[in-house]
Amino acid sequence: MNAALYAFDADAEPAQRLADALGAPLRRIASHAFPDGETLITVQGVSQVALIYRTLDRPNAKLFPLLQAADAARRAGAGRLVLIAPYLPYMRQDMVFAPGQALSRDVLGRLLGEAFERIVTVEPHLHRTRDLSAVFGTAVTVLAAAAELAAVLTPSPDLLVVGPDAESEAWTARLARGLAAPYATFEKVRHGDDQVELVLAPEVLVAGRPVVVVDDICSSGATLIGAVGQLKARGAARIVVAVVHALVSAEAERRLRGAGADEILSTESCPHPTNRVSLTALLARALAQEVAP
Ligand code: R5P
């Protein structure tokens, strides 16, 4: 089948690596901003299968141009549209927590589900969501990044893997398996955007051990700053923070280092100075069938 990868200029580097791995051409999505802030989106060339690569940190700015790109590709003749969104935003608002709130996960799902035949993503926050395809009304392929993270971490006999809350248990357990290490998770209560209370059972032995703290998302940084601070206070020998989606500001990253993080690394799902983990091979395996002749 005739397939091409499409990307906005800002995503050109990871998209080019993915295009090379797939043996597919990379085509440009051009964005023109009018003086009033509206955008005009134009896609280059025509292909039957259009794979659109889009990082979705800062989602409110990126989502409308993405929907315009899908429309442009469809009008240019694409019969199948596949979105590659390594980070899927708004998955944490997966229920109405207080009366009057929007259910953001479903709002996003309706928009993307209508525009794309398939969505490929990495470690979306699925704490309460069993079947994302059902919510989005389109095929959603969910990929785990534990093997990619484990590959850049150094295993050691007394290593401990720690998740900062009960919600992190699934990916903490996967990473611990990959590193052949035991794991533990904090209990977390959130009091506000950047106020969290964390408790790690006293019987978890931390003193003198290297620790990897892993989470799916680092946003305000409050969760990981709290976890790292406590692990440091309990005598952890060396603390490495591994996150899948790094959304954290430079200031919060500085506070995380100040709390005791010796190293911080993230996947390239969101462009960030801590990116050290490539997702190219993982995504290419999931997409191989889309470019098969
Ligand atoms: C929440 O349950 C997620 O897994 C993360 O722990 C959370 O999103 C991190 O957010 P923040 O960096 O703002 O504490």
Side-chain angles (χ1 to χ4, degrees):
M1 223 185 304
N2 166 277
L5 192 68
Y6 292 80
F8 289 82
D9 290 349
D11 295 327
E13 277 183 34
Q16 184 66 65
R17 286 196 298 275
L18 182 56
D20 292 345
L22 290 168
L26 177 65
R27 298 198 175 133
R28 182 165 181 252
I29 301 172
S31 175
H32 171 77
F34 292 105
D36 59 13
E38 290 186 1
T39 47
L40 173 65
I41 300 296
T42 311
V43 297
Q44 265 182 354
V46 182
S47 67
Q48 277 171 277
V49 180
L51 312 174
I52 299 185
Y53 183 99
R54 192 53 169 146
T55 55
L56 284 175
D57 54 312
R58 292 179 292 111
N60 290 11
K62 290 183 170 183
L63 280 167
F64 194 73
L66 172 64
L67 295 172
Q68 289 173 293
D71 181 74
R74 189 81 75 190
R75 288 174 193 282
R80 178 170 173 79
L81 291 186
V82 179
L83 171 64
I84 304 148
Y87 168 59
L88 207 49
Y90 284 117
M91 293 300 104
R92 286 170 292 174
Q93 182 69 17
D94 55 3
M95 62 179 274
V96 173
F97 294 93
Q101 290 182 345
L103 182 44
S104 309
R105 177 199 62 185
D106 292 22
V107 175
L108 183 75
R110 276 197 297 277
L111 290 170
L112 296 183
E114 212 171 88
F116 293 93
E117 273 75 30
R118 183 185 176 204
I119 297 168
V120 176
T121 190
V122 180
E123 306 274 13
H125 190 86
L126 295 184
H127 187 56
R128 278 166 287 262
T129 309
R130 293 276 159 269
D131 183 355
L132 209 49
S133 300
V135 173
F136 277 49
T138 196
V140 183
T141 303
V142 169
L143 303 173
E148 278 62 28
L149 288 174
V152 300
L153 293 163
T154 316
S156 74
D158 50 355
L159 181 69
L160 177 68
V161 179
V162 173
D165 51 32
E167 296 189 1
S168 72
E169 177 152 9
W171 49 89
T172 304
R174 277 199 292 272
L175 184 62
R177 260 198 308 280
L179 292 167
Y183 75 89
T185 56
F186 280 84
E187 288 300 321
K188 176 171 92 178
V189 181
R190 187 177 282 279
H191 298 294
D193 284 351
D194 52 11
Q195 280 177 308
V196 295
E197 204 181 302
L198 294 164
V199 179
L200 182 64
E203 58 271 21
V204 177
L205 183 64
V206 175
R209 300 175 77 169
V211 179
V212 172
V213 191
V214 61
D215 208 356
D216 60 342
I217 298 170
C218 184
S219 177
S220 72
T223 301
L224 285 169
I225 291 168
V228 165
Q230 289 200 31
L231 291 164
K232 183 82 182 168
R234 281 170 65 161
R238 176 176 161 76
I239 303 174
V240 177
V241 170
V243 294
V244 181
H245 311 297
L247 304 169
V248 66
S249 68
E251 168 54 21
E253 185 192 332
R254 199 188 55 72
R255 282 192 279 123
L256 184 53
R257 291 186 197 280
D262 295 292
E263 191 182 345
I264 305 170
L265 55 91
S266 62
T267 79
E268 62 185 347
S269 71
C270 303
H272 196 270
T274 58
N275 287 174
R276 273 208 23 220
V277 182
S278 168
L279 295 172
T280 302
L282 179 70
L283 293 170
R285 281 195 298 277
L287 291 160
Q289 76 206 58
E290 302 288 351
V291 297

